[in-house]
Short mmCIF file of all heavy atoms in Angstrom, two decimals:
data_model
loop_
_atom_site.label_atom_id
_atom_site.label_comp_id
_atom_site.label_asym_id
_atom_site.label_seq_id
_atom_site.Cartn_x
_atom_site.Cartn_y
_atom_site.Cartn_z
N MET Y 9 190.55 143.35 157.87
CA MET Y 9 189.16 143.25 157.52
C MET Y 9 189.08 143.13 155.99
O MET Y 9 189.72 143.84 155.26
CB MET Y 9 188.38 144.52 157.91
CG MET Y 9 188.15 144.71 159.39
SD MET Y 9 186.55 144.19 159.97
CE MET Y 9 185.37 144.93 158.85
N PRO Y 10 188.21 142.24 155.54
CA PRO Y 10 187.98 142.11 154.09
C PRO Y 10 187.12 143.27 153.56
O PRO Y 10 186.48 143.97 154.32
CB PRO Y 10 187.22 140.78 153.93
CG PRO Y 10 186.52 140.61 155.23
CD PRO Y 10 187.48 141.20 156.28
N LYS Y 11 187.18 143.45 152.26
CA LYS Y 11 186.35 144.46 151.62
C LYS Y 11 184.92 144.06 151.74
O LYS Y 11 184.53 142.88 151.75
CB LYS Y 11 186.69 144.62 150.19
CG LYS Y 11 188.12 145.18 149.94
CD LYS Y 11 188.31 145.24 148.39
CE LYS Y 11 189.72 145.69 148.08
NZ LYS Y 11 189.98 145.68 146.62
N LEU Y 12 184.02 145.06 151.84
CA LEU Y 12 182.60 144.80 151.89
C LEU Y 12 182.00 144.94 150.54
O LEU Y 12 182.38 145.84 149.77
CB LEU Y 12 181.93 145.73 152.88
CG LEU Y 12 182.35 145.71 154.31
CD1 LEU Y 12 181.78 146.80 155.13
CD2 LEU Y 12 181.92 144.35 154.92
N LYS Y 13 181.01 144.09 150.20
CA LYS Y 13 180.35 144.18 148.95
C LYS Y 13 179.21 145.17 148.98
O LYS Y 13 178.48 145.24 149.95
CB LYS Y 13 179.86 142.82 148.51
CG LYS Y 13 180.89 141.94 147.99
CD LYS Y 13 180.31 140.78 147.27
CE LYS Y 13 181.45 140.00 146.54
NZ LYS Y 13 180.91 138.88 145.73
N THR Y 14 179.06 145.94 147.91
CA THR Y 14 177.93 146.84 147.75
C THR Y 14 176.83 146.11 147.05
O THR Y 14 177.05 145.39 146.12
CB THR Y 14 178.35 148.06 146.92
OG1 THR Y 14 179.43 148.70 147.58
CG2 THR Y 14 177.19 149.01 146.73
N LYS Y 15 175.59 146.31 147.59
CA LYS Y 15 174.42 145.72 146.90
C LYS Y 15 174.21 146.37 145.57
O LYS Y 15 174.05 147.56 145.45
CB LYS Y 15 173.16 145.89 147.79
CG LYS Y 15 173.13 145.07 149.03
CD LYS Y 15 172.55 143.75 148.67
CE LYS Y 15 172.30 142.99 150.01
NZ LYS Y 15 171.92 141.56 149.75
N SER Y 16 174.18 145.54 144.49
CA SER Y 16 174.06 146.03 143.18
C SER Y 16 172.76 146.81 142.94
O SER Y 16 172.69 147.77 142.24
CB SER Y 16 174.21 144.94 142.16
OG SER Y 16 175.54 144.39 142.13
N SER Y 17 171.71 146.22 143.55
CA SER Y 17 170.36 146.86 143.40
C SER Y 17 170.37 148.26 144.05
O SER Y 17 169.73 149.16 143.51
CB SER Y 17 169.30 146.00 143.94
OG SER Y 17 169.55 145.75 145.36
N ALA Y 18 171.04 148.41 145.18
CA ALA Y 18 171.00 149.68 145.84
C ALA Y 18 171.84 150.77 145.11
O ALA Y 18 171.47 151.92 145.03
CB ALA Y 18 171.60 149.53 147.23
N LYS Y 19 172.98 150.41 144.54
CA LYS Y 19 173.81 151.38 143.87
C LYS Y 19 173.15 151.87 142.58
O LYS Y 19 173.44 152.97 142.11
CB LYS Y 19 175.21 150.83 143.58
CG LYS Y 19 175.33 149.74 142.51
CD LYS Y 19 176.76 149.26 142.42
CE LYS Y 19 176.87 148.15 141.43
NZ LYS Y 19 178.15 147.49 141.48
N LYS Y 20 172.25 151.06 142.02
CA LYS Y 20 171.48 151.51 140.84
C LYS Y 20 170.32 152.39 141.17
O LYS Y 20 169.95 153.21 140.35
CB LYS Y 20 170.95 150.29 140.04
CG LYS Y 20 172.03 149.42 139.42
CD LYS Y 20 171.43 148.13 138.92
CE LYS Y 20 172.54 147.17 138.56
NZ LYS Y 20 171.99 145.87 138.16
N ARG Y 21 169.80 152.26 142.36
CA ARG Y 21 168.55 152.99 142.71
C ARG Y 21 168.80 154.27 143.50
O ARG Y 21 167.88 155.13 143.56
CB ARG Y 21 167.68 152.07 143.54
CG ARG Y 21 166.99 150.99 142.69
CD ARG Y 21 166.32 150.01 143.55
NE ARG Y 21 165.52 149.08 142.73
CZ ARG Y 21 165.97 148.03 142.12
NH1 ARG Y 21 167.26 147.73 142.16
NH2 ARG Y 21 165.19 147.25 141.42
N PHE Y 22 169.88 154.39 144.21
CA PHE Y 22 170.07 155.53 145.08
C PHE Y 22 171.36 156.28 144.69
O PHE Y 22 172.36 155.70 144.21
CB PHE Y 22 170.21 155.10 146.57
CG PHE Y 22 169.05 154.29 147.05
CD1 PHE Y 22 169.12 152.93 147.14
CD2 PHE Y 22 167.80 154.90 147.28
CE1 PHE Y 22 168.04 152.20 147.60
CE2 PHE Y 22 166.74 154.18 147.64
CZ PHE Y 22 166.82 152.86 147.84
N SER Y 23 171.36 157.62 144.92
CA SER Y 23 172.56 158.38 144.74
C SER Y 23 172.68 159.35 145.91
O SER Y 23 171.73 159.62 146.60
CB SER Y 23 172.47 159.18 143.43
OG SER Y 23 171.37 160.02 143.42
N VAL Y 24 173.88 159.78 146.19
CA VAL Y 24 174.20 160.61 147.30
C VAL Y 24 174.38 162.10 146.91
O VAL Y 24 175.01 162.38 145.88
CB VAL Y 24 175.52 160.13 147.97
CG1 VAL Y 24 175.80 160.83 149.27
CG2 VAL Y 24 175.49 158.61 148.21
N THR Y 25 173.79 162.97 147.70
CA THR Y 25 173.94 164.43 147.43
C THR Y 25 175.26 164.86 148.02
O THR Y 25 175.97 164.13 148.69
CB THR Y 25 172.78 165.21 148.12
OG1 THR Y 25 172.87 165.04 149.50
CG2 THR Y 25 171.43 164.71 147.62
N SER Y 26 175.63 166.10 147.76
CA SER Y 26 176.84 166.65 148.24
C SER Y 26 176.92 166.75 149.74
O SER Y 26 177.98 166.82 150.37
CB SER Y 26 177.18 167.99 147.60
OG SER Y 26 176.15 168.93 147.86
N THR Y 27 175.72 166.85 150.34
CA THR Y 27 175.65 166.96 151.89
C THR Y 27 175.56 165.58 152.49
O THR Y 27 175.44 165.52 153.72
CB THR Y 27 174.52 167.85 152.30
OG1 THR Y 27 173.31 167.29 151.71
CG2 THR Y 27 174.71 169.25 151.80
N GLY Y 28 175.55 164.52 151.68
CA GLY Y 28 175.53 163.17 152.23
C GLY Y 28 174.13 162.51 152.39
O GLY Y 28 173.98 161.48 152.92
N LYS Y 29 173.11 163.28 151.86
CA LYS Y 29 171.76 162.66 151.94
C LYS Y 29 171.51 161.75 150.75
O LYS Y 29 172.30 161.83 149.76
CB LYS Y 29 170.73 163.77 151.93
CG LYS Y 29 170.81 164.64 153.18
CD LYS Y 29 169.81 165.79 153.10
CE LYS Y 29 169.94 166.67 154.34
NZ LYS Y 29 169.06 167.85 154.27
N LEU Y 30 170.53 160.88 150.83
CA LEU Y 30 170.28 159.94 149.77
C LEU Y 30 169.09 160.34 148.95
O LEU Y 30 168.05 160.66 149.51
CB LEU Y 30 170.01 158.54 150.40
CG LEU Y 30 171.26 157.80 150.94
CD1 LEU Y 30 170.90 156.56 151.64
CD2 LEU Y 30 172.30 157.54 149.86
N LYS Y 31 169.23 160.29 147.63
CA LYS Y 31 168.15 160.58 146.68
C LYS Y 31 167.65 159.33 146.12
O LYS Y 31 168.34 158.38 145.91
CB LYS Y 31 168.68 161.44 145.51
CG LYS Y 31 168.96 162.86 145.82
CD LYS Y 31 169.14 163.67 144.56
CE LYS Y 31 170.24 163.13 143.70
NZ LYS Y 31 170.57 164.01 142.53
N LYS Y 32 166.32 159.32 145.77
CA LYS Y 32 165.67 158.18 145.14
C LYS Y 32 164.77 158.75 144.02
O LYS Y 32 164.32 159.88 144.02
CB LYS Y 32 164.90 157.41 146.12
CG LYS Y 32 163.64 158.12 146.62
CD LYS Y 32 162.84 157.29 147.61
CE LYS Y 32 161.71 158.06 148.17
NZ LYS Y 32 160.52 157.95 147.29
N ASN Y 33 164.54 157.85 143.03
CA ASN Y 33 163.54 158.16 141.99
C ASN Y 33 162.19 157.74 142.45
O ASN Y 33 162.02 156.81 143.33
CB ASN Y 33 163.90 157.47 140.71
CG ASN Y 33 165.09 158.05 140.04
OD1 ASN Y 33 165.26 159.25 139.96
ND2 ASN Y 33 166.05 157.18 139.63
N ALA Y 34 161.14 158.31 141.84
CA ALA Y 34 159.77 157.99 142.17
C ALA Y 34 159.39 156.64 141.54
O ALA Y 34 159.92 156.27 140.44
CB ALA Y 34 158.82 159.06 141.73
N ALA Y 35 158.50 155.89 142.16
CA ALA Y 35 158.06 154.57 141.61
C ALA Y 35 156.85 154.78 140.78
O ALA Y 35 156.20 155.83 140.72
CB ALA Y 35 157.81 153.64 142.80
N PHE Y 36 156.42 153.71 140.10
CA PHE Y 36 155.18 153.62 139.37
C PHE Y 36 155.14 154.54 138.07
O PHE Y 36 154.13 155.04 137.79
CB PHE Y 36 153.99 153.89 140.19
CG PHE Y 36 153.93 153.04 141.48
CD1 PHE Y 36 154.09 153.65 142.72
CD2 PHE Y 36 153.80 151.67 141.39
CE1 PHE Y 36 154.09 152.89 143.86
CE2 PHE Y 36 153.81 150.92 142.58
CZ PHE Y 36 153.93 151.53 143.81
N LYS Y 37 156.29 154.70 137.47
CA LYS Y 37 156.32 155.56 136.27
C LYS Y 37 156.81 154.81 135.04
O LYS Y 37 157.20 155.40 134.06
CB LYS Y 37 157.25 156.71 136.51
CG LYS Y 37 156.68 157.86 137.24
CD LYS Y 37 155.82 158.74 136.37
CE LYS Y 37 156.72 159.43 135.34
NZ LYS Y 37 156.26 160.70 134.89
N ARG Y 38 156.84 153.49 135.07
CA ARG Y 38 157.42 152.75 133.90
C ARG Y 38 156.44 152.34 132.86
O ARG Y 38 156.68 152.48 131.64
CB ARG Y 38 158.15 151.49 134.43
CG ARG Y 38 159.26 151.80 135.37
CD ARG Y 38 160.41 152.44 134.64
NE ARG Y 38 161.51 152.69 135.55
CZ ARG Y 38 162.41 153.59 135.36
NH1 ARG Y 38 162.44 154.37 134.28
NH2 ARG Y 38 163.35 153.83 136.23
N HIS Y 39 155.32 151.78 133.20
CA HIS Y 39 154.36 151.32 132.20
C HIS Y 39 152.94 151.40 132.73
O HIS Y 39 152.74 151.70 133.93
CB HIS Y 39 154.69 149.81 131.84
CG HIS Y 39 154.71 148.88 133.01
ND1 HIS Y 39 153.67 148.05 133.28
CD2 HIS Y 39 155.59 148.70 134.05
CE1 HIS Y 39 153.94 147.35 134.37
NE2 HIS Y 39 155.08 147.76 134.90
N LEU Y 40 151.98 151.06 131.84
CA LEU Y 40 150.53 151.19 132.26
C LEU Y 40 150.18 152.62 132.72
O LEU Y 40 149.38 152.78 133.68
CB LEU Y 40 150.16 150.19 133.31
CG LEU Y 40 150.35 148.71 132.95
CD1 LEU Y 40 150.06 147.83 134.16
CD2 LEU Y 40 149.49 148.27 131.80
N LEU Y 41 150.77 153.58 132.06
CA LEU Y 41 150.56 154.97 132.53
C LEU Y 41 149.18 155.51 132.11
O LEU Y 41 148.73 156.54 132.69
CB LEU Y 41 151.61 155.84 131.97
CG LEU Y 41 153.05 155.56 132.47
CD1 LEU Y 41 154.04 156.40 131.78
CD2 LEU Y 41 153.12 155.75 133.96
N PHE Y 42 148.47 154.90 131.21
CA PHE Y 42 147.14 155.36 130.86
C PHE Y 42 146.14 155.15 131.99
O PHE Y 42 145.14 155.82 132.05
CB PHE Y 42 146.67 154.68 129.56
CG PHE Y 42 146.60 153.23 129.64
CD1 PHE Y 42 145.47 152.56 130.12
CD2 PHE Y 42 147.71 152.46 129.27
CE1 PHE Y 42 145.41 151.15 130.18
CE2 PHE Y 42 147.61 151.04 129.35
CZ PHE Y 42 146.55 150.46 129.79
N ASN Y 43 146.45 154.25 132.89
CA ASN Y 43 145.56 153.99 134.03
C ASN Y 43 145.78 154.98 135.18
O ASN Y 43 144.92 155.13 136.04
CB ASN Y 43 145.79 152.57 134.64
CG ASN Y 43 145.28 151.52 133.78
OD1 ASN Y 43 144.30 151.77 133.04
ND2 ASN Y 43 145.90 150.39 133.82
N LYS Y 44 146.92 155.65 135.18
CA LYS Y 44 147.29 156.52 136.29
C LYS Y 44 146.89 157.97 135.96
O LYS Y 44 147.00 158.39 134.83
CB LYS Y 44 148.81 156.36 136.55
CG LYS Y 44 149.18 154.94 136.88
CD LYS Y 44 150.63 154.75 137.07
CE LYS Y 44 150.87 153.29 137.55
NZ LYS Y 44 151.39 152.42 136.47
N GLY Y 45 146.56 158.67 137.01
CA GLY Y 45 146.11 160.01 136.85
C GLY Y 45 147.29 161.01 136.55
O GLY Y 45 148.41 160.71 136.83
N THR Y 46 146.88 162.14 135.92
CA THR Y 46 147.88 163.14 135.58
C THR Y 46 148.58 163.67 136.81
O THR Y 46 149.77 163.91 136.83
CB THR Y 46 147.19 164.28 134.81
OG1 THR Y 46 146.40 163.71 133.76
CG2 THR Y 46 148.21 165.20 134.25
N LYS Y 47 147.81 163.89 137.89
CA LYS Y 47 148.39 164.40 139.14
C LYS Y 47 149.40 163.41 139.72
O LYS Y 47 150.49 163.84 140.11
CB LYS Y 47 147.27 164.65 140.15
CG LYS Y 47 147.69 165.26 141.42
CD LYS Y 47 146.54 165.57 142.33
CE LYS Y 47 146.95 166.15 143.64
NZ LYS Y 47 145.86 166.39 144.52
N MET Y 48 149.09 162.12 139.65
CA MET Y 48 150.04 161.14 140.19
C MET Y 48 151.34 161.08 139.35
O MET Y 48 152.43 161.04 139.91
CB MET Y 48 149.33 159.77 140.16
CG MET Y 48 150.19 158.72 140.81
SD MET Y 48 150.89 157.60 139.57
CE MET Y 48 151.96 156.68 140.55
N LYS Y 49 151.18 161.16 138.04
CA LYS Y 49 152.33 161.15 137.17
C LYS Y 49 153.20 162.42 137.33
O LYS Y 49 154.45 162.36 137.35
CB LYS Y 49 151.97 160.99 135.68
CG LYS Y 49 151.40 159.62 135.37
CD LYS Y 49 151.09 159.44 133.93
CE LYS Y 49 149.74 160.03 133.59
NZ LYS Y 49 149.29 159.70 132.20
N ARG Y 50 152.57 163.53 137.55
CA ARG Y 50 153.28 164.78 137.78
C ARG Y 50 154.05 164.78 139.05
O ARG Y 50 155.16 165.23 139.12
CB ARG Y 50 152.28 165.97 137.73
CG ARG Y 50 152.89 167.29 137.76
CD ARG Y 50 151.82 168.39 137.58
NE ARG Y 50 150.85 168.42 138.62
CZ ARG Y 50 149.55 168.16 138.49
NH1 ARG Y 50 149.08 167.83 137.25
NH2 ARG Y 50 148.72 168.23 139.50
N HIS Y 51 153.43 164.24 140.12
CA HIS Y 51 154.15 164.21 141.41
C HIS Y 51 155.24 163.19 141.44
O HIS Y 51 156.15 163.22 142.28
CB HIS Y 51 153.15 163.91 142.59
CG HIS Y 51 152.26 165.01 142.92
ND1 HIS Y 51 152.84 166.28 143.34
CD2 HIS Y 51 150.97 165.20 142.92
CE1 HIS Y 51 151.86 167.12 143.61
NE2 HIS Y 51 150.68 166.53 143.34
N ALA Y 52 155.21 162.22 140.53
CA ALA Y 52 156.24 161.18 140.46
C ALA Y 52 157.44 161.63 139.61
O ALA Y 52 158.39 160.84 139.43
CB ALA Y 52 155.63 159.86 139.86
N ARG Y 53 157.41 162.84 139.09
CA ARG Y 53 158.56 163.35 138.29
C ARG Y 53 159.71 163.69 139.23
O ARG Y 53 159.55 164.00 140.36
CB ARG Y 53 158.15 164.62 137.56
CG ARG Y 53 157.68 164.46 136.14
CD ARG Y 53 157.45 165.74 135.54
NE ARG Y 53 156.26 165.74 134.74
CZ ARG Y 53 155.41 166.79 134.59
NH1 ARG Y 53 155.66 167.93 135.18
NH2 ARG Y 53 154.34 166.63 133.93
N GLY Y 54 160.93 163.58 138.69
CA GLY Y 54 162.12 164.02 139.43
C GLY Y 54 162.49 163.06 140.57
O GLY Y 54 162.12 161.87 140.57
N THR Y 55 163.26 163.57 141.51
CA THR Y 55 163.74 162.78 142.65
C THR Y 55 163.29 163.35 143.91
O THR Y 55 162.80 164.50 144.00
CB THR Y 55 165.27 162.73 142.60
OG1 THR Y 55 165.76 164.10 142.67
CG2 THR Y 55 165.78 162.11 141.36
N SER Y 56 163.39 162.60 144.99
CA SER Y 56 163.08 163.05 146.29
C SER Y 56 164.12 162.44 147.29
O SER Y 56 164.85 161.52 146.92
CB SER Y 56 161.72 162.63 146.73
OG SER Y 56 161.52 161.25 146.70
N LEU Y 57 164.11 162.93 148.45
CA LEU Y 57 165.11 162.44 149.53
C LEU Y 57 164.52 161.27 150.24
O LEU Y 57 163.30 161.27 150.46
CB LEU Y 57 165.49 163.55 150.42
CG LEU Y 57 166.25 164.76 149.83
CD1 LEU Y 57 166.48 165.81 150.86
CD2 LEU Y 57 167.59 164.26 149.28
N LEU Y 58 165.33 160.37 150.66
CA LEU Y 58 164.91 159.21 151.44
C LEU Y 58 164.64 159.67 152.87
O LEU Y 58 165.33 160.48 153.39
CB LEU Y 58 166.08 158.17 151.43
CG LEU Y 58 165.72 156.75 151.24
CD1 LEU Y 58 164.92 156.56 149.95
CD2 LEU Y 58 166.96 155.93 151.17
N SER Y 59 163.66 158.99 153.52
CA SER Y 59 163.34 159.31 154.89
C SER Y 59 164.48 158.72 155.76
O SER Y 59 165.23 157.89 155.40
CB SER Y 59 162.04 158.68 155.30
OG SER Y 59 162.09 157.28 155.28
N GLU Y 60 164.60 159.33 156.96
CA GLU Y 60 165.67 158.95 157.89
C GLU Y 60 165.63 157.48 158.26
O GLU Y 60 166.71 156.87 158.43
CB GLU Y 60 165.56 159.83 159.17
CG GLU Y 60 166.12 161.22 158.98
CD GLU Y 60 167.57 161.28 158.48
OE1 GLU Y 60 168.36 160.49 159.08
OE2 GLU Y 60 167.92 162.05 157.56
N SER Y 61 164.44 156.93 158.47
CA SER Y 61 164.34 155.49 158.81
C SER Y 61 164.82 154.62 157.73
O SER Y 61 165.44 153.56 157.92
CB SER Y 61 162.93 155.16 159.21
OG SER Y 61 162.03 155.44 158.16
N ASP Y 62 164.61 155.05 156.42
CA ASP Y 62 165.06 154.23 155.29
C ASP Y 62 166.57 154.41 155.04
O ASP Y 62 167.24 153.54 154.56
CB ASP Y 62 164.31 154.63 154.05
CG ASP Y 62 162.84 154.12 154.16
OD1 ASP Y 62 162.55 153.17 154.84
OD2 ASP Y 62 161.99 154.71 153.42
N VAL Y 63 167.07 155.60 155.42
CA VAL Y 63 168.51 155.87 155.23
C VAL Y 63 169.36 154.87 156.03
O VAL Y 63 170.36 154.36 155.54
CB VAL Y 63 168.84 157.34 155.60
CG1 VAL Y 63 170.35 157.57 155.71
CG2 VAL Y 63 168.25 158.24 154.58
N GLN Y 64 168.95 154.57 157.25
CA GLN Y 64 169.62 153.63 158.10
C GLN Y 64 169.78 152.30 157.43
O GLN Y 64 170.79 151.59 157.52
CB GLN Y 64 169.01 153.54 159.48
CG GLN Y 64 169.05 154.81 160.24
CD GLN Y 64 168.16 154.75 161.49
OE1 GLN Y 64 167.59 153.74 161.76
NE2 GLN Y 64 168.15 155.86 162.19
N ILE Y 65 168.70 151.86 156.77
CA ILE Y 65 168.72 150.51 156.08
C ILE Y 65 169.57 150.59 154.83
O ILE Y 65 170.42 149.65 154.64
CB ILE Y 65 167.26 150.12 155.70
CG1 ILE Y 65 166.43 150.00 156.93
CG2 ILE Y 65 167.23 148.85 154.91
CD1 ILE Y 65 164.90 149.97 156.68
N VAL Y 66 169.44 151.60 154.00
CA VAL Y 66 170.16 151.68 152.75
C VAL Y 66 171.66 151.84 152.94
O VAL Y 66 172.42 151.36 152.20
CB VAL Y 66 169.51 152.77 151.87
CG1 VAL Y 66 170.31 153.02 150.62
CG2 VAL Y 66 168.13 152.40 151.53
N LYS Y 67 172.05 152.56 154.01
CA LYS Y 67 173.44 152.77 154.24
C LYS Y 67 174.24 151.50 154.57
O LYS Y 67 175.42 151.38 154.32
CB LYS Y 67 173.72 153.78 155.40
CG LYS Y 67 173.45 155.20 154.95
CD LYS Y 67 174.19 156.21 155.72
CE LYS Y 67 173.96 157.57 155.12
NZ LYS Y 67 174.87 158.58 155.65
N LYS Y 68 173.49 150.48 155.01
CA LYS Y 68 174.14 149.16 155.22
C LYS Y 68 174.48 148.49 153.88
O LYS Y 68 175.38 147.72 153.77
CB LYS Y 68 173.23 148.28 156.04
CG LYS Y 68 173.08 148.70 157.47
CD LYS Y 68 172.12 147.80 158.23
CE LYS Y 68 171.86 148.27 159.60
NZ LYS Y 68 170.82 147.58 160.30
N PHE Y 69 173.60 148.83 152.86
CA PHE Y 69 173.80 148.23 151.53
C PHE Y 69 174.89 148.95 150.78
O PHE Y 69 175.43 148.43 149.77
CB PHE Y 69 172.50 148.29 150.74
CG PHE Y 69 171.37 147.53 151.36
CD1 PHE Y 69 170.12 147.94 151.16
CD2 PHE Y 69 171.60 146.40 152.09
CE1 PHE Y 69 169.01 147.23 151.68
CE2 PHE Y 69 170.56 145.67 152.66
CZ PHE Y 69 169.29 146.07 152.45
N LEU Y 70 175.20 150.18 151.14
CA LEU Y 70 176.22 151.05 150.46
C LEU Y 70 177.29 151.38 151.43
O LEU Y 70 177.34 152.50 151.97
CB LEU Y 70 175.51 152.28 149.91
CG LEU Y 70 174.37 152.09 148.96
CD1 LEU Y 70 173.67 153.44 148.75
CD2 LEU Y 70 174.87 151.55 147.64
N PRO Y 71 178.26 150.47 151.69
CA PRO Y 71 179.20 150.71 152.75
C PRO Y 71 180.22 151.83 152.42
O PRO Y 71 180.82 152.45 153.33
CB PRO Y 71 179.94 149.39 152.87
CG PRO Y 71 179.68 148.68 151.62
CD PRO Y 71 178.37 149.15 151.11
N TYR Y 72 180.50 152.11 151.13
CA TYR Y 72 181.46 153.11 150.72
C TYR Y 72 180.89 154.34 150.17
O TYR Y 72 181.12 154.66 149.03
CB TYR Y 72 182.48 152.48 149.78
CG TYR Y 72 183.15 151.23 150.38
CD1 TYR Y 72 182.80 150.03 149.88
CD2 TYR Y 72 184.11 151.36 151.37
CE1 TYR Y 72 183.37 148.85 150.43
CE2 TYR Y 72 184.68 150.22 151.88
CZ TYR Y 72 184.33 148.96 151.42
OH TYR Y 72 184.91 147.87 151.95
N LEU Y 73 180.07 155.04 150.98
CA LEU Y 73 179.46 156.28 150.50
C LEU Y 73 180.44 157.45 150.57
O LEU Y 73 181.15 157.67 151.43
CB LEU Y 73 178.22 156.66 151.34
CG LEU Y 73 177.01 155.76 151.14
CD1 LEU Y 73 175.89 156.25 152.09
CD2 LEU Y 73 176.59 155.82 149.69
#
């Protein structure tokens, strides 16, 4: 079997926890922040875990987890 390629966009956006779950960063925090509410910006801080339905999709992009 040949080696499988990892999607470059996925390896930049997701990281794996020690238990094998996938972490993601919050979206909508890059620019035009004066339009966005303080509550929205506060909730977009930090990372969160990917949902189970999205994990199945992303794991195809990251074959060597």
Side-chain angles (χ1 to χ4, degrees):
M9 287 262 313
K11 293 179 184 176
L12 297 173
K13 283 197 172 182
T14 299
K15 288 275 188 185
S16 292
S17 59
K19 71 182 175 189
K20 293 171 191 173
R21 286 172 171 81
F22 304 105
S23 59
V24 186
T25 63
S26 58
T27 56
K29 296 177 181 174
L30 288 172
K31 284 193 305 187
K32 68 179 178 83
N33 288 317
F36 308 113
K37 277 281 294 209
R38 297 292 179 201
H39 58 103
L40 299 175
L41 295 174
F42 57 88
N43 287 332
K44 300 177 174 103
T46 309
K47 184 177 179 181
M48 186 257 169
K49 289 185 276 190
R50 188 172 63 245
H51 284 304
R53 265 187 223 144
T55 58
S56 59
L57 294 176
L58 222 54
S59 66
E60 284 301 317
S61 55
D62 291 335
V63 166
Q64 294 169 3
I65 297 166
V66 173
K67 284 209 176 192
K68 290 178 187 172
F69 298 151
L70 303 167
Y72 301 106
L73 287 180

